[in-house]
């Protein structure tokens, strides 16, 4: 009996260090965020308990509502364009007999470039005085040459999203490509024997064969769309006129610019709640659609 008990205890001893690290870095700070959301605190001095006043202010704060709308727009962009682009290119690359590794590497390279570096490079490229606008002017494309990519409130968010998509879609492509290569080739052979064309192979073999990967990518995209920060902060810092303000940048400004750490924590709680709801919604939709096993 003692030997059996020891065998049951040993696995827990192995995961105990990881559990302690996770508790210190994730669990405890998360709980402290929930607690501090009920305080008026500047991040350094004494905190004053104010109950739900921060949350009442959030409801009335127009920038929070605007940031939420921008996050939703960002989500809609990133669950469509990079997924469709990544999957389409993965299908094409998977058919290549030669230079497949070359194309995988080329498309994946933007993902490994630091967001700070890539953001600065693209900010320079979108500069109306010496960026791509000058190239457009020399080509005679007058309207494009006058476009303020990061200065026009109507298109600034989409310009930043374009850059983030440039960085993100190659990673999605590699995930899909790896999943496609795990699909049993005999399934394609059987489909061809039955007279299936390329489109039917895609719908009835390829997509069902990588449904777990599709579900995983959707979960990541939904979470990261609401947690995105780097490209917006580096390229526009939420401007112009809050047209690219998202929840993460607004949290940062409240915590480290306005020194309203308590209010920033309250927005963090709202942001986390939205992510949790979206996660369970995506899980429900995926199971109903057969993308995940019950």
């Amino acid at each position: 009996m003692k030997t059996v008990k020891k065998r049951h205890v040993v696995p827990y001893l192995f995961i105990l260090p990881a559990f302690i690290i996770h508790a210190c870095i994730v669990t405890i700070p998360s709980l402290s965020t929930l607690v501090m959301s009920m305080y008026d605190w500047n991040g350094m001095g004494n905190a004053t308990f104010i109950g739900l006043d921060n949350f009442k202010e959030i409801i009335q704060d127009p920038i929070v509502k605007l940031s939420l709308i921008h996050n939703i727009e960002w989500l809609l962009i990133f669950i469509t364009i990079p997924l469709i682009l990544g999957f389409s290119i993965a299908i094409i690359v998977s058919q290549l007999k030669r230079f497949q590794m070359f194309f995988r590497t080329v498309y994946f390279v933007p993902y490994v470039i630091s967001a700070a570096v890539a953001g600065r490079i693209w900010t320079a490229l979108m500069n109306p005085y010496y960026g791509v606008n000058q190239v457009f002017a020399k080509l005679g494309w007058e309207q494009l040459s006058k476009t303020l990519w990061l200065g026009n409130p109507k298109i600034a968010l989409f310009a930043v999203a374009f850059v983030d998509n440039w960085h993100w879609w190659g990673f999605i492509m590699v995930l899909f490509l790896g999943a496609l290569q795990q699909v049993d080739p005999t399934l394609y052979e059987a489909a061809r024997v039955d007279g299936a064309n390329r489109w039917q192979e895609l719908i009835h073999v390829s997509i069902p064969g990588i449904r777990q990967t599709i579900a995983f990518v959707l979960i990541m995209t939904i979470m990261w769309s609401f947690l995105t920060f780097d490209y917006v902060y580096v390229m526009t810092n939420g401007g112009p006129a809050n047209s690219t303000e998202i929840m993460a940048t607004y949290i940062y400004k409240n915590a480290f610019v306005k020194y309203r750490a308590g209010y920033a924590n309250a927005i963090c709680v709202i942001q986390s709640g939205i992510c949790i709801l979206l996660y369970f919604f995506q899980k429900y939709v995926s199971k109903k659609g057969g993308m995940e096993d019950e």
Side-chain angles (χ1 to χ4, degrees):
M1 292 294 293
K2 290 183 178 179
T3 305
V4 174
K5 287 184 178 179
K6 285 182 179 179
R7 287 179 179 175
H8 283 295
V9 171
V10 169
Y12 293 99
L13 293 177
F14 277 107
I15 66 172
L16 183 60
F19 177 78
I20 293 173
I21 293 173
H22 186 274
C24 294
I25 297 177
V26 178
T27 307
I28 295 175
S30 298
L31 293 175
S32 67
T33 297
L34 180 61
V35 172
M36 294 311 300
S37 68
M38 300 182 186
Y39 284 80
D40 180 14
W41 183 42
N42 62 9
M44 293 177 289
N46 295 326
T48 304
F49 182 77
I50 58 174
L52 299 177
D53 286 357
N54 283 327
F55 294 96
K56 293 178 181 177
E57 184 178 346
I58 287 174
I59 295 173
Q60 300 174 350
D61 191 339
I63 300 181
V64 171
K65 296 176 183 177
L66 185 63
S67 301
L68 179 58
I69 292 171
H70 290 158
N71 273 114
I72 293 172
E73 290 176 345
W74 194 276
L75 171 62
L76 294 175
I77 291 171
F78 277 82
I79 62 173
T80 52
I81 297 174
L83 266 67
I84 294 172
L85 183 60
F87 181 71
S88 301
I89 300 300
I91 291 290
I92 296 171
V93 173
S94 67
Q95 305 298 318
L96 298 178
K97 302 299 182 182
R98 301 175 61 188
F99 303 111
Q100 187 180 116
M101 185 57 68
F102 169 77
F103 287 105
R104 288 174 63 174
T105 304
V106 168
Y107 292 140
F108 188 74
V109 163
Y111 183 74
V112 301
I113 299 175
S114 166
V117 174
R120 286 299 181 187
I121 292 172
W122 277 99
T123 300
L125 289 174
M126 292 181 176
N127 188 294
Y129 300 106
Y130 54 80
V132 293
N133 284 21
Q134 297 305 310
V135 177
F136 294 148
K138 290 181 180 179
L139 292 173
W141 301 344
E142 292 297 327
Q143 291 298 322
L144 282 176
S145 67
K146 297 177 182 178
T147 303
L148 300 177
W149 302 103
L150 300 177
N152 186 339
K154 294 181 179 180
I155 64 172
L157 182 68
F158 301 103
V160 179
F162 169 83
V163 177
D164 201 351
N165 177 53
W166 167 84
H167 143 270
W168 173 243
W169 82 269
F171 174 68
I172 299 296
M173 186 274 295
V174 170
L175 288 180
F176 283 144
L177 183 59
L180 286 168
Q181 291 176 340
Q182 299 303 313
V183 178
D184 190 350
T186 58
L187 296 176
Y188 291 102
E189 294 173 5
R192 293 189 192 104
V193 170
D194 290 337
N197 55 34
R198 288 294 181 89
W199 176 253
Q200 290 170 328
E201 287 180 16
L202 175 67
I203 298 299
H204 299 290
V205 179
S206 298
I207 293 178
I210 65 168
R211 63 183 186 277
Q212 297 285 350
T213 302
I214 294 174
F216 171 71
V217 169
L218 282 173
I219 291 173
M220 284 201 310
T221 303
I222 289 170
M223 297 298 105
W224 290 354
S225 291
F226 267 84
L227 300 176
T228 187
F229 171 81
D230 42 14
Y231 279 97
V232 174
Y233 179 76
V234 170
M235 296 184 69
T236 62
N237 196 24
N242 297 319
S243 62
T244 61
E245 197 77 82
I246 54 177
M247 295 189 76
T249 56
Y250 195 51
I251 289 169
Y252 176 86
K253 289 177 182 178
N254 275 282
F256 302 108
V257 178
K258 299 179 181 179
Y259 297 104
R260 301 191 64 198
Y263 189 61
N265 279 313
I267 303 175
C268 282
V269 172
I270 299 296
Q271 184 186 43
S272 300
I274 293 171
C275 288
I276 291 171
L277 290 175
L278 287 172
Y279 168 77
F280 284 110
F281 175 74
Q282 187 276 333
K283 293 284 284 184
Y284 174 79
V285 172
S286 294
K287 285 183 177 180
K288 288 293 183 181
M291 294 171 63
E292 292 188 5
D293 296 329
E294 295 290 342

